Amino acid sequence: MPKRRQSFLKADFLYHKHAKRFFSDTEDGTLRHFLTLRDFTKEEILAIIDLGLEIKKDLKAGIYHHELKNKTLAMIFEKSSTRTRVSFETGMFQLGGHALFLSSKDIQLGRGEPLKDTARVISRMCDMVMIRTFEHERLEEFAHFSKVPVINGLTDSYHPVQLLADYMTLKELGKEKNLVAAYVGDGNNMTHSWLMLASKLGFELRVATPKGYEVDSEILQEAYSFAKESGAKIFITNDPKEAVKDADVVTTDTWVSMGQEDEKEKRLKDFEGFIVDDALMNLAKKDAVFLHCLPAYRGYEVSESVFEAHAETIFAEAENRLHAQKGLMVWLERQR
């Protein structure tokens, strides 16, 4: 993963470490964005998830919440996606609004228009923006110049909407109390987001990565700092067995993320021994669950048998992208 660069944003885009909120100044006051979980309190994260669960329950009963009626969500994709596009587009429709799919190849952004200009144009026409991109700094720059809430659909550094869905799934399974989670694999955006979630909510997280693929040191230090406040326990190791022992949930991600295809052969060699297979899962608690953000590459980060044994949970997790993000969009609209 690329080394995390220092933010180049100007002083009027404010990150308040004590308030733990990332927001931009607007004519009406402050505007909340959803860029990383580090910018939210424990109470806010749980409120978003609970709101999503409430909306999900009503949807299953045939009750539709149209809180975003006549609202428009701009979806900017610089990275391709299945779950992110379908969940946001479907969610916006079910909430009474409309979603616009904007590939960077189809808008002027792909022809060299400055990102800040794209942000100022789109945020004057749309009510909310979701961006799926590469460098996290691009997301921050867009939010800096946006007049409407911006949501991180994925960057190289964080994938916070996936963690909303993951924790929602764990709550539905009754796994959130005294939770011990184990992440096995690359120290990437998913790992960073698990670090933020655990350190904010106060549960135990064990991360096992191969040597040379550890999590970003700055993000890890932030997690340790938050953990002092929340009581979270964070354990970093290069031994998957050590991480998984007696865990309640085991999770992983692809070893080769988008943009790393030229590293595939080296990564497959370096990640030898980090596959979540039956032998590794048997070290977790007997009732442990396995989560995967998808797409899953069987035979690499997870075995076919483990994946299929936990398929119902994995695809419930995928479905919860829809419900968690609906909760998020409604929550952000209510803050304005």
Side-chain angles (χ1 to χ4, degrees), residues 277-295:
D277 55 16
D278 291 313
L280 191 61
M281 276 300 297
N282 285 339
L283 297 177
K285 290 181 180 177
K286 289 185 177 181
D287 62 345
V289 297
F290 174 77
L291 297 180
H292 198 302
C293 59
L294 300 177

Side-chain angles (χ1 to χ4, degrees), residues 3-9 17 137 140 216 218:
K3 185 177 181 180
R4 188 165 176 255
R5 298 194 298 270
Q6 293 294 320
S7 173
F8 51 81
L9 304 182
K17 290 185 178 179
E137 289 77 11
E140 291 179 326
D216 182 280
E218 184 178 340

Side-chain angles (χ1 to χ4, degrees), residues 23-303:
F23 58 85
S24 51
D25 287 336
T26 63
E27 295 177 358
D28 299 325
T30 57
L31 179 65
R32 296 299 298 274
H33 301 294
F34 188 75
L35 308 188
T36 83
L37 292 170
R38 76 178 179 193
D39 307 325
F40 288 77
T41 65
K42 174 180 180 178
E43 292 73 23
E44 288 172 334
I45 295 170
L46 293 178
I48 291 169
I49 292 171
D50 287 342
L51 180 56
L53 285 169
E54 178 185 340
I55 294 173
K56 177 181 180 179
K57 180 180 178 181
D58 286 346
L59 177 67
K60 299 297 184 180
I63 302 171
Y64 287 81
H65 291 262
H66 287 169
E67 288 205 36
L68 299 185
K69 183 179 180 180
N70 297 327
K71 301 291 184 178
T72 303
L73 171 71
M75 306 185 301
I76 300 176
F77 285 86
E78 293 188 309
K79 279 190 174 184
S80 60
S81 171
T82 299
R83 281 149 293 279
T84 299
R85 178 177 179 180
V86 174
S87 57
F88 272 108
E89 192 162 339
T90 302
M92 197 63 182
F93 175 80
Q94 291 178 350
L95 290 169
H98 179 70
L100 294 171
F101 174 75
L102 303 173
S103 166
S104 60
K105 297 179 182 179
D106 301 324
I107 58 178
Q108 294 299 327
L109 185 63
R111 300 183 62 220
E113 181 176 54
L115 187 64
K116 61 184 180 181
D117 291 357
T118 301
R120 288 184 281 200
V121 169
I122 291 177
S123 66
R124 286 173 179 267
M125 298 181 183
C126 298
D127 302 286
M128 201 172 292
V129 180
M130 185 282 298
I131 305 177
R132 185 176 171 95
T133 187
F134 292 89
E135 296 87 355
H136 192 75
E137 289 77 11
R138 288 181 62 77
L139 177 74
E140 291 179 326
E141 183 184 5
F142 194 103
H144 169 51
F145 289 99
S146 176
K147 291 180 174 291
V148 299
V150 175
I151 297 172
N152 180 359
L154 177 142
T155 66
D156 287 342
S157 297
Y158 297 101
H159 195 6
V161 289
Q162 179 65 54
L163 269 292
L164 293 180
D166 288 1
Y167 198 74
M168 174 182 282
T169 305
L170 294 174
K171 284 197 71 171
E172 289 180 317
L173 294 172
K175 294 287 186 180
E176 77 277 16
K177 295 182 180 179
N178 302 314
L179 177 65
V180 176
Y183 180 95
V184 177
D186 193 11
N188 60 12
N189 49 11
M190 279 298 296
T191 327
H192 296 157
S193 295
W194 271 102
L195 283 168
M196 289 298 105
L197 184 72
S199 64
K200 286 287 185 170
L201 299 191
F203 61 84
E204 182 174 342
L205 175 65
R206 307 165 186 168
V207 176
T209 64
K211 292 181 179 180
Y213 295 90
E214 289 86 359
V215 299
D216 182 280
S217 59
E218 184 178 340
I219 294 174
L220 179 59
Q221 290 307 313
E222 284 182 329
Y224 282 146
S225 178
F226 292 138
K228 290 180 181 179
E229 301 177 24
S230 68
K233 297 178 181 179
I234 297 174
F235 181 70
I236 307 296
T237 181
N238 298 121
D239 185 352
K241 296 178 181 179
E242 194 174 14
V244 171
K245 179 67 175 175
D246 295 326
D248 298 295
V249 55
V250 179
T251 185
T252 187
D253 188 16
T254 177
W255 295 343
V256 185
S257 297
M258 284 177 282
Q260 298 174 335
E261 288 80 6
D262 58 340
E263 304 173 22
K264 182 176 179 179
E265 293 306 316
K266 182 179 187 303
R267 282 176 166 266
L268 293 184
K269 181 179 179 181
D270 292 345
F271 279 79
E272 186 176 349
F274 278 78
I275 183 173
V276 181
D277 55 16
D278 291 313
L280 191 61
M281 276 300 297
N282 285 339
L283 297 177
K285 290 181 180 177
K286 289 185 177 181
D287 62 345
V289 297
F290 174 77
L291 297 180
H292 198 302
C293 59
L294 300 177
Y297 298 93
R298 297 159 173 82
Y300 293 106
E301 75 271 10
V302 61
S303 68

